[in-house]
Amino acid sequence: MAKKSMVNRETKRAKLVKQYATRRAALKAVIEDQSKPMEERFKASMKLAKLPRNSSATRIHNRCQLTGRPHAYYRKLKLSRIMLRDLASMGQIPGMVKSSW
C-alpha cells in the first residue's frame, strides 16, 4: 500500500490540472501562434511560467486505484499488475480467468 500522502498529492495534482486546463491551453495557443508579435508571445510564456507547476498534465503519475502503487499500472483497468492478478484469481474481473496448462 502506498503512502496516503502520495495518493493525496496525485489527486491534488489532477484537480489542479483540471482547474487550469483552459488557461494553459489559451496561453499555449498564443505562444505557438507565429503571427503574433514577439512581445505578446513572450508575455504569454511568462504568464504560463507563473501558473502552478502542478497544473501541468505531465506531472500526473498514474497510480493503482486500490493500492496506490505507481509502477506496473494498467491504464485500461486503472489497476496495478498485483491487484489485477488478485482480483482475477478471485473472479472479480468479468471475462478474465486464470490460465492453467
Side-chain angles (χ1 to χ4, degrees):
M1 185 82 182
K3 291 169 64 173
K4 290 288 184 188
S5 61
M6 298 302 290
V7 175
N8 292 339
R9 186 181 299 168
E10 289 299 325
T11 56
K12 183 180 173 184
R13 282 182 183 151
K15 192 170 87 172
L16 273 175
V17 167
K18 189 175 179 183
Q19 180 181 349
Y20 284 94
T22 54
R23 279 185 237 175
R24 292 184 75 86
L27 289 171
K28 284 185 179 184
V30 171
I31 293 168
E32 295 294 321
D33 190 4
Q34 296 292 327
S35 64
K36 302 264 186 191
M38 190 64 180
E39 300 86 30
E40 188 177 338
R41 290 171 46 208
F42 182 72
K43 285 180 183 177
S45 66
M46 294 305 289
K47 284 183 183 178
L48 184 65
K50 287 190 179 187
L51 290 179
R53 190 174 280 177
N54 283 334
S55 67
S56 175
T58 58
R59 298 202 32 118
I60 294 178
H61 199 286
N62 293 328
R63 288 182 172 271
C64 176
Q65 293 287 312
L66 300 177
T67 61
R69 180 181 166 87
H71 297 289
Y73 173 83
Y74 288 92
R75 289 181 185 172
K76 196 169 190 177
L77 301 169
K78 297 185 178 180
L79 294 173
S80 67
R81 64 177 175 83
I82 297 167
M83 288 311 299
L84 177 68
R85 184 170 182 208
D86 287 346
L87 293 174
S89 294
M90 290 186 283
Q92 298 290 323
I93 300 175
M96 189 174 284
V97 291
K98 185 177 176 187
S99 64
S100 61
W101 60 92

